[in-house]
Amino acid sequence: MARVIVDVMLKPEILDAQGQAIARALPRLGFSGVSAVRQGKRFEVELDGPADEAAISDVRKMAETLLANTVIEDFTVTVAE
Amino acid sequence: MARVIVDVMLKPEILDAQGQAIARALPRLGFSGVSAVRQGKRFEVELDGPADEAAISDVRKMAETLLANTVIEDFTVTVAE
């Protein structure tokens, strides 16, 4: 059994209102030194079999069609160690 | 300038209804071989300075107090390469 991670983030050119709200709240809460925050989604996908090329390719299709909205979001697929 | 990643996931003992919904939808959409999906949040925190021990410790406090609900969520802090 293998675990594959899909990270989905808004494209850099898309305004991330949630991330901006967090970044603006930080100084009020006593945290300095942060220039920006972006918020996205993380999916942990547990596979029945090994994370071979075919499985990774399947997860990639899954991310494209189900997990990410590729009009406004980018995603990365990585195998968890 | 450094980037620190905060991953926030529901604790394993907490029911992840979103993840379950995704896992159940996959066979219908033609994807097999996935035993479970868990969904969480990913924050990309851009620091003004380097990601030294003090900065990482600050981000850890930030995650504890602002980004994660530690009653039901676990978080990890990693420096992006």
Side-chain angles (χ1 to χ4, degrees):
Chain A
M1 230 178 73
R3 175 180 293 177
V4 179
I5 308 296
V6 180
D7 286 317
V8 178
M9 301 297 293
L10 283 171
K11 286 179 192 284
E13 65 269 28
I14 306 286
L15 178 74
D16 178 2
Q18 278 183 305
Q20 282 193 352
I22 294 166
R24 271 201 298 267
L26 288 173
R28 263 193 289 122
L29 294 162
F31 297 105
S32 59
V34 172
S35 55
V37 177
R38 288 184 78 78
Q39 179 174 352
K41 287 174 286 185
R42 174 189 168 92
F43 299 92
E44 296 183 354
V45 179
E46 305 283 345
L47 302 177
D48 289 329
D52 53 17
E53 262 185 60
I56 302 286
S57 158
D58 264 8
V59 172
R60 214 161 250 296
K61 265 180 246 156
M62 222 177 272
E64 253 172 48
T65 54
L66 181 65
L67 304 179
N69 174 355
T70 54
V71 176
I72 57 166
E73 291 169 330
D74 288 327
F75 67 87
T76 59
V77 175
T78 49
V79 179
E81 279 126 49
Chain B
M1 230 179 73
R3 174 179 292 178
V4 179
I5 309 296
V6 180
D7 287 317
V8 178
M9 301 299 291
L10 284 171
K11 287 179 191 283
E13 65 268 28
I14 306 285
L15 177 75
D16 177 3
Q18 277 182 304
Q20 282 194 350
I22 295 166
R24 270 200 299 265
L26 289 174
R28 261 194 292 124
L29 294 163
F31 297 106
S32 59
V34 171
S35 55
V37 177
R38 290 184 77 77
Q39 179 173 354
K41 287 174 285 186
R42 174 188 167 94
F43 299 93
E44 296 182 353
V45 180
E46 305 282 345
L47 302 177
D48 289 328
D52 53 16
E53 261 185 61
I56 302 286
S57 157
D58 263 9
V59 173
R60 213 160 251 296
K61 266 180 245 157
M62 224 177 271
E64 254 172 46
T65 54
L66 180 65
L67 305 180
N69 174 356
T70 53
V71 176
I72 57 166
E73 290 169 331
D74 288 327
F75 67 88
T76 59
V77 175
T78 48
V79 179
E81 277 126 50

